[in-house]
Amino acid sequence: MDLKHQYWLEESKSFHLRFYHWLNILDPLLLLASEGEIRNARDLLSRCDQVSANTDKEKKVKQAWNVSLSSVHPDNGSIIPLLFRPPAFFPAAAPLVLATLLPHTKVFPSFFWQCIFQTYIAGFNLANQNASVEKSQQSFNHIMLCMGAVSYTACLSVMPEYLMKRYNLGSPTMQAFCRKFLPAPLLACMSAFNVMVVRSTESDHGIEVMDKKGNIVGVSKNAGAKAVKETAISRAALIGTSVAIPSIFMSFLQRKNVLRSFRAFTPVSYIVTVVAFGLMVPTSFSLFPQAGKITRDRLEQDIQLATTESELYYYRGV
């Protein structure tokens, strides 16, 4: 079993423990680790007798775990591209979230930033998917499907802005509905849809499931569908909550007349958005265990016959 699989099996049994680990893994300073340092971290961990980071208090081992968990894909052992590593998610995505929420005067700038944002999310989903089943190369159909998903989600995300400009919906009620109420559920649904399309190969071809000892039992499409569903829910919670909290908070401040100046309102809104997004990144990543669990009766018949274990495990991806 890969060390990271075993790590998540032992260290992600509760939400609080997962949240604590993600706070360490998401440290942007881990992006400074070179390929040599990443390989050295992997070598150090492979020589450790104990896999659990809590049983070894040495600073080097803890740092090696953080470097490995943040930089290396657990299924194939490859180094994740720098821009799509978990520690890069907040620094890269936060400015894009702000850009998509700006009150653009025209539809095209809004569509442009939505395309950039959805493209980055798609790349992150692809780089951190379950890769336990070997794929010689991404099929042309899947590539076109991903491009279509980015275009589709970007178009739907700017639909409220387009309708307001196209039909001159300038009433206060429509302005509030399109700019305060609608973006949160709409962007949440689009983010979930992005995950489901980009990682559709997992439910189509299946992912490996293993027992507690790490022995591969088989390849399951049902486990793949469950992994994609859980990740889609976590991504919807991340984006939807990050957009909803600032809107609710700023509306509260307006009703209380705390911020009377527009010059003060705008930067405070941006700060609240960034803070909400920053808090939701480790929270959403911790909603479901990385080592997902599925009961034997929910798996395919051939896998049920191949084991007597009541529960099997799989890597969910990020």
Side-chain angles (χ1 to χ4, degrees):
M1 179 192 289
D2 183 89
L3 288 174
K4 289 175 71 175
H5 284 310
Q6 193 171 349
Y7 178 92
W8 286 119
L9 276 173
E10 298 186 10
E11 300 291 334
S12 63
K13 296 180 180 179
S14 69
F15 171 82
H16 297 91
L17 194 57
R18 294 194 296 271
F19 184 82
Y20 170 75
H21 288 313
W22 275 117
L23 286 179
N24 293 323
I25 296 168
L26 292 171
D27 183 0
L29 294 178
L30 294 173
L31 296 172
L32 301 177
S34 63
E35 290 191 14
E37 291 173 330
I38 295 172
R39 293 193 185 94
N40 290 338
R42 296 280 291 175
D43 292 340
L44 176 61
L45 295 175
S46 65
R47 295 195 301 269
C48 290
D49 294 331
Q50 300 292 335
V51 173
S52 174
N54 291 334
T55 62
D56 196 329
K57 301 300 181 182
E58 292 183 8
K59 186 176 180 180
K60 288 185 178 180
V61 175
K62 289 184 177 180
Q63 182 64 14
W65 271 117
N66 291 336
V67 170
S68 178
L69 291 169
S70 64
S71 307
V72 181
H73 198 290
D75 286 325
N76 51 31
S78 63
I79 297 177
I80 302 171
L82 183 67
L83 190 60
F84 299 122
R85 294 176 192 173
F89 186 80
F90 174 74
L96 298 178
V97 171
L98 284 178
T100 59
L101 297 177
L102 288 175
H104 300 285
T105 57
K106 295 183 179 181
V107 176
F108 178 76
S110 179
F111 176 73
F112 172 79
W113 286 113
Q114 282 289 349
C115 280
I116 299 297
F117 175 66
Q118 294 294 343
T119 300
Y120 176 75
I121 295 298
F124 184 86
N125 294 335
L126 194 61
N128 292 276
Q129 67 178 341
N130 182 296
S132 58
V133 177
E134 285 291 334
K135 306 177 185 69
S136 57
Q137 59 183 1
Q138 295 292 339
S139 67
F140 176 76
N141 289 341
H142 186 240
I143 294 174
M144 295 302 295
L145 194 63
C146 293
M147 293 175 62
V150 169
S151 302
Y152 179 73
T153 52
C155 288
L156 282 186
S157 298
V158 301
M159 191 58 65
E161 194 78 22
Y162 172 76
L163 293 176
M164 289 174 60
K165 303 295 183 185
R166 178 68 176 82
Y167 297 104
N168 296 320
L169 304 177
S171 66
T173 303
M174 291 304 301
Q175 291 272 348
F177 177 76
C178 292
R179 289 185 172 168
K180 293 183 179 180
F181 175 76
L182 194 56
L186 182 60
L187 290 176
C189 291
M190 293 302 98
S191 299
F193 179 78
N194 191 314
V195 173
M196 296 178 70
V197 173
V198 171
R199 294 181 52 174
S200 60
T201 54
E202 296 175 40
S203 53
D204 291 341
H205 303 293
I207 60 176
E208 290 181 350
V209 290
M210 62 191 81
D211 58 23
K212 269 191 175 182
K213 297 180 180 179
N215 300 315
I216 305 300
V217 179
V219 175
S220 170
K221 294 182 181 180
N222 294 343
K226 186 172 183 288
V228 174
K229 178 183 176 181
E230 291 173 345
T231 307
I233 292 174
S234 69
R235 202 74 81 241
L238 166 62
I239 304 301
T241 307
S242 299
V243 175
I245 288 178
S247 179
I248 295 172
F249 183 74
M250 297 310 294
S251 296
F252 172 78
L253 294 183
Q254 280 184 313
R255 286 197 299 269
K256 297 297 182 179
N257 291 323
V258 177
L259 296 175
R260 299 181 181 180
S261 172
F262 178 77
R263 292 183 178 179
F265 181 87
T266 302
V268 170
S269 175
Y270 295 161
I271 292 172
V272 173
T273 301
V274 171
V275 171
F277 186 73
L279 292 174
M280 279 305 300
V281 171
T283 302
S284 64
F285 286 1
S286 307
L287 288 179
F288 299 98
Q290 290 303 107
K293 186 188 300 182
I294 186 170
T295 56
R296 186 165 67 101
D297 58 1
R298 295 183 59 186
L299 295 169
E300 289 81 349
Q301 190 67 28
D302 59 327
I303 298 178
Q304 294 184 32
L305 297 174
T307 181
T308 57
E309 296 281 344
S310 60
E311 294 178 332
L312 295 175
Y313 299 87
Y314 59 87
Y315 175 65
R316 179 177 64 84
V318 182

